[in-house]
Amino acid sequence: MNLTILVPTLNKLIFVEKLLKYYISINFTGDIFILDASDKTQSIPIKQLLKNINKNNFKYFHVEGWVCEAMKQAYKFVKTKYVIFTGDDDYLLLEGAKKIIEYLEKEREYHSCFGDCMFISKTQINNELFFSSWEYPSLHERKEENCEDRLLNFLKNYSVNEFAITEKEIFFDSLSYVPEFKNRNLCPARQINDEILPGSFLALN
């Protein structure tokens, strides 16, 4: 599959283990990058987990910084045409990802696309498991012809644009405006660093 999933993580061994078991179970053939900013105590077992799984398309990187600072460090290692950022507790449905890539290959004026996104919650009451789900509210279409209109509508009606499957060069171009970890003082506000800056430039593209 011509897709790399970028997964920044921090001290979440159990989450990473569940995530990778899921992608093994659906026979995911794209690349998965575990971008691990954990401290030494947590990073060693996460790295060992990837080693034990021993799949060439599951790759481990020890990185520094917040989410976008971490993803910037992966650029030169990505070999696929498309990338997507997900959390370590987010799961892609394989058929949905395939349909999005097929759409982007057909509709060449678009560089990025997402599908429906759902939260799923599990609760246990008196030894019974209950599941609930609801639609994630922060994903909105950006089909305005004018790039200034897209940007203004993005800022007025915010969405996490990085959660879309996006052409590699477009995705990493949006991250180029985020300072590197060592230069964080240039943009010390995490929400701007991780969301507003890259999301704004994705909206412009």
Side-chain angles (χ1 to χ4, degrees):
M1 191 173 193
N2 203 2
L3 176 67
T4 297
I5 303 174
L6 303 174
V7 187
T9 189
L10 176 67
N11 300 332
K12 299 248 187 93
L13 172 62
I14 300 301
F15 282 48
V16 173
E17 187 173 15
K18 288 180 179 179
L19 184 80
L20 296 181
K21 282 182 178 178
Y22 167 74
Y23 284 112
I24 291 171
S25 74
I26 64 170
N27 194 30
F28 181 73
T29 57
D31 290 336
I32 299 176
F33 286 12
I34 301 300
L35 306 174
D36 182 20
S38 303
D39 58 45
K40 187 174 182 181
T41 308
Q42 291 286 330
S43 66
I44 291 173
I46 293 174
K47 187 174 183 178
Q48 187 62 46
L49 171 68
L50 272 290
K51 187 175 180 180
N52 292 344
I53 289 173
N54 193 30
K55 287 181 68 68
N56 290 332
N57 58 326
F58 290 10
K59 304 179 191 299
Y60 175 89
F61 301 87
H62 194 263
V63 296
E64 293 183 304
W66 292 331
V67 168
C68 288
E69 294 168 346
M71 290 193 295
K72 282 170 68 81
Q73 298 166 55
Y75 170 69
K76 64 182 179 181
F77 302 102
V78 175
K79 305 302 181 187
T80 58
K81 183 175 180 178
Y82 297 101
V83 298
I84 185 172
F85 152 54
T86 75
D88 51 22
D89 58 351
D90 297 331
Y91 300 82
L92 283 184
L93 296 180
L94 189 57
E95 285 307 309
K98 287 179 179 177
K99 287 179 180 179
I100 287 173
I101 290 174
E102 288 171 3
Y103 176 80
L104 290 171
E105 288 291 300
K106 181 181 177 182
E107 304 291 339
R108 298 305 303 150
E109 70 271 26
Y110 295 109
H111 305 291
S112 186
C113 181
F114 54 76
D116 293 332
C117 180
M118 301 291 292
F119 282 114
I120 299 175
S121 174
K122 180 175 73 173
T123 307
Q124 184 169 334
I125 303 174
N126 297 329
N127 295 321
E128 277 196 76
L129 286 178
F130 296 89
F131 292 87
S132 59
S133 64
W134 60 98
E135 189 173 357
Y136 182 63
S138 294
L139 294 176
H140 307 291
E141 286 188 346
R142 303 286 173 212
K143 288 188 174 181
E144 300 85 352
E145 290 291 328
N146 183 285
C147 62
E148 289 88 351
D149 290 338
R150 285 198 304 275
L151 177 59
L152 287 173
N153 287 332
F154 161 72
L155 294 172
K156 288 190 290 186
N157 194 16
Y158 177 74
S159 64
V160 186
N161 293 338
E162 301 100 302
F163 286 162
I165 291 177
T166 304
E167 291 178 7
K168 171 190 171 181
E169 298 303 328
I170 297 292
F171 183 87
F172 283 102
D173 279 350
S174 76
L175 297 184
S176 67
Y177 299 95
V178 176
E180 294 181 1
F181 170 68
K182 63 183 179 181
N183 297 322
R184 182 182 290 169
N185 61 301
L186 298 175
C187 185
R190 182 163 187 174
Q191 188 172 14
I192 294 174
N193 189 304
D194 273 351
E195 296 187 18
I196 304 298
L197 262 181
S200 295
F201 285 99
L202 283 172
L204 286 171
N205 280 297

